[in-house]
Amino acid sequence: MTWNVENLFQPEPDQQADFDAKVDALCGVIADAAPDAVALQEVGDEESFELLRSRLGDDWGGALATRFEKSHPIRVGWLSPHPLVDVAEVVDLPASLSPVKVADDGRTIRQLGRGALAVTCRTGDDAEVRVLTAHLKSKLLSFPGGRFSTGDEDERARYGVYALNRRAAEAAAVREWVTDELAGDWAGGPLLVCGDLNDTTDAATNQLLLGPPGSQFGTGGFDRPDRGDRQRLWAAGHWMDPPDDWSRMHEGRPELIDHVLVSHALAACLSEARTVPIDVPSMGSRPQLTARAAGEPPSDHRPVVVRFDL
């Protein structure tokens, strides 16, 4: 399962009841899905992460990334009832692409805003799967002075390019990790990349992550081996059927921006791919609090669940 759990932060004292309801609702959805591993995005602090882990049960362990943006300290993590080993963070942009300009004042970045986190999950039947979760740059634009809108269309275009360049560079960093893993010790092994990638299945940034073109599910070459299979990732979104094929509602329109991408070893044994049909609110181009009952729903994203017969 991969799930953006929407700003999981320790609450103010007067918000404790709402926070407890949110955590209980998160645990309920996870327990019903019974996944072997859960990739989380938008975890705000270690205390909230530990509380969620403990409420899932004593047999659940976890790993939490350390890299986050100072302006909004959300990060990614993993939870599982199985051992998680070989923990590694991906934080640096590819050297040949960085620094990446992100503002009119010339500010640049050399690292992912939110570090990606890789672990190896050992399931109960002694299978091992190498997994990475990421939370790429949002399509939401922010402008100088903390603004989320502008009447200057030239400024809007520039900051749209800055956001797209950053998200593409972050995707390239994740792809660099995939390439190294599938060319090294994990060659031919089961590997997946998942998380809130902040773009749809066929977007250019996601195409970067897929690697060699061709052979995606539904194409004529899907079941025909070729030289690209060793490095290719397959998008589980292509297996999904309506109505459970979207993860976020944006300005009234459903879209799939939370993804699971799998290596060749997993593409052959995928048995189910869907989103959990919770009734999430529609979000707009400006961040805002959406009034809703405590814990209903616990996030503005649907979780994505993908199952494999290993």
Side-chain angles (χ1 to χ4, degrees):
M1 171 186 281
T2 182
W3 199 1
N4 180 321
V5 290
E6 191 190 4
N7 292 324
L8 185 65
F9 284 93
Q10 283 290 291
E12 297 296 329
D14 63 343
Q15 298 173 331
Q16 185 66 51
D18 286 349
F19 175 77
D20 289 339
K22 176 184 176 79
V23 173
D24 286 344
L26 292 172
C27 288
V29 173
I30 293 171
D32 286 345
D36 289 295
V38 183
L40 299 177
Q41 302 86 46
E42 290 203 15
V43 177
D45 50 65
E46 295 178 4
E47 293 80 7
S48 298
F49 180 77
E50 174 57 24
L51 178 63
L52 179 60
R53 184 209 62 77
S54 65
R55 288 197 184 177
L56 286 170
D58 292 339
D59 56 335
W60 281 72
L64 186 64
T66 61
R67 171 67 181 173
F68 54 84
E69 293 176 304
K70 293 182 180 179
S71 60
H72 190 199
I74 52 174
R75 67 201 83 183
V76 301
W78 283 100
L79 292 171
S80 177
H82 306 295
L84 300 176
V85 299
D86 301 330
V87 179
E89 287 195 65
V90 177
V91 298
D92 293 325
L93 298 178
S96 56
L97 289 177
S98 64
V100 174
K101 183 179 176 181
V102 294
D104 281 350
D105 62 8
R107 184 164 51 93
T108 61
I109 59 171
R110 295 179 180 272
Q111 293 184 321
L112 284 76
R114 301 171 283 250
L117 186 66
V119 299
T120 299
C121 181
R122 294 175 174 169
T123 67
D125 53 4
D126 295 325
E128 289 190 335
V129 183
R130 189 67 171 156
V131 295
L132 178 138
T133 182
H135 187 183
L136 303 188
K137 169 69 180 81
S138 172
K139 291 183 286 186
L140 175 69
L141 302 185
S142 56
F143 302 93
R147 293 177 289 121
F148 290 101
S149 64
T150 180
D152 182 337
E153 295 311 313
D154 289 339
E155 182 183 51
R156 191 191 312 276
R158 291 195 307 275
Y159 276 81
V161 171
Y162 297 148
L164 179 58
N165 285 351
R166 175 178 154 182
R167 187 164 62 255
E170 291 178 341
V174 173
R175 179 63 231 187
E176 188 174 65
W177 176 85
V178 171
T179 299
D180 290 345
E181 292 286 318
L182 292 180
D185 293 340
W186 219 259
L191 176 146
L192 64 82
V193 170
C194 64
D196 181 356
L197 304 184
N198 267 308
D199 231 331
T200 54
T201 306
D202 294 324
T205 48
N206 284 345
Q207 296 301 308
L208 293 176
L209 289 167
L210 296 181
S215 295
Q216 286 297 316
F217 178 76
T219 67
F222 172 70
D223 56 357
R224 301 176 185 176
D226 64 52
R227 289 179 293 179
D229 286 349
R230 291 172 292 179
Q231 279 289 326
R232 186 174 289 122
L233 295 179
W234 281 261
H238 287 143
W239 275 267
M240 294 183 182
D241 294 316
D244 300 327
D245 59 347
W246 58 272
S247 62
R248 189 173 186 264
M249 189 69 70
H250 180 68
E251 296 185 342
R253 296 179 177 178
E255 59 181 8
L256 183 67
I257 64 171
D258 302 89
H259 298 277
V260 177
L261 312 175
V262 305
S263 69
H264 190 252
L266 287 173
C269 54
L270 192 153
S271 60
E272 180 187 30
R274 64 180 178 89
T275 61
V276 177
I278 61 175
D279 187 19
V280 299
S282 179
M283 308 303 291
S285 59
R286 298 184 183 185
Q288 57 186 331
L289 294 177
T290 303
R292 57 188 193 252
E296 296 182 4
S299 173
D300 56 356
H301 289 240
R302 287 179 164 189
V304 172
V305 175
V306 180
R307 301 190 190 279
F308 306 92
D309 181 3
L310 299 182

